[in-house]
Amino acid sequence: MAHARISASLPPDIDPTKAPLAFGRRALPKLNEELQSPELLTQQRALMALCDLVHDPENVYQAIEIGFLDNLKTLLLHHDSTLRQKAIEILYVMAMHSVGRKRLIENGLISALAKLLNDPEDICRKNTHQTIEMMARLPEGLGDQLQALIKKSYMGLYLDMYIQA
């Protein structure tokens, strides 16, 4: 006779880095709630799912309207490197769309991005440079603050390449 046996490990087809995701209009608001969770794993899962969703321009617009930019701005300064890396990656994908670039500039993310130019993680610095470059493509993005930041970031990038050589 067969006996029921419960395993302590997850089934092989379940990825622990993926968040259970709501569908339709409820997906992004649910992820926004999870980003504000005190648990690190919940925040990481929400960022992984959001990173997949923002490749759709409709989701970029909806995420901006919900208020993700404020949450991502606070996560840029988090002590966990995975959160910083995914937050800047999401901002970069948002900056690829014109509405995203405009709202990044309007929400004052330039100063938050400036703090990531000296991040110890290479991927964070790379995505920060790319995000700043995308923001500079708009006329309003070429303000004095962004121009100074671009000069500073490229000088830092060249210094990093010089030191590694």
Side-chain angles (χ1 to χ4, degrees):
M1 180 171 228
H3 295 283
R5 188 180 307 183
I6 299 174
S7 174
S9 60
L10 291 173
D13 60 339
I14 293 180
D15 186 3
T17 62
K18 297 289 183 181
L21 191 60
F23 292 100
R25 289 187 271 165
R26 185 67 188 131
L28 289 174
K30 178 69 175 166
L31 288 176
N32 198 25
E33 292 171 13
E34 291 177 357
L35 278 183
Q36 299 169 6
S37 170
E39 293 183 29
L40 181 63
L41 186 60
T42 304
Q43 289 178 326
Q44 289 174 346
R45 286 179 178 172
L47 280 175
M48 298 291 181
L50 180 61
C51 194
D52 290 339
L53 288 176
V54 293
H55 284 86
D56 182 8
E58 289 179 23
N59 289 335
V60 170
Y61 181 77
Q62 185 181 2
I64 289 171
E65 291 301 314
I66 290 172
F68 271 95
L69 292 181
D70 292 330
N71 291 335
L72 292 172
K73 189 176 182 179
T74 59
L75 291 177
L76 290 176
L77 304 175
H78 200 275
H79 63 85
D80 183 52
S81 63
T82 304
L83 289 181
R84 288 193 317 269
Q85 174 187 346
K86 281 300 178 183
I88 189 62
E89 184 177 342
I90 291 167
L91 289 173
Y92 172 61
V93 173
M94 286 181 167
M96 292 170 117
H97 305 285
S98 67
V99 68
R101 284 191 292 265
K102 286 180 183 178
R103 295 302 281 272
L104 287 172
I105 293 168
E106 289 171 4
N107 282 14
L109 271 117
I110 295 172
S111 60
L113 290 172
K115 296 175 183 169
L116 282 180
L117 290 174
N118 295 325
D119 195 86
E121 297 293 324
D122 292 336
I123 191 70
C124 288
R125 288 194 311 267
K126 177 185 175 217
N127 285 337
T128 301
H129 286 275
Q130 290 175 333
T131 305
I132 291 169
E133 180 184 359
M134 293 302 289
M135 290 169 65
R137 292 183 181 198
L138 284 179
E140 56 267 15
L142 287 175
D144 295 333
Q145 185 181 11
L146 188 57
Q147 285 180 348
L149 187 60
I150 289 171
K151 289 178 186 175
K152 178 183 173 187
S153 69
Y154 283 116
M155 291 302 289
L157 184 64
Y158 290 132
L159 285 175
D160 286 345
M161 290 189 310
Y162 180 74
I163 292 170
Q164 291 176 358

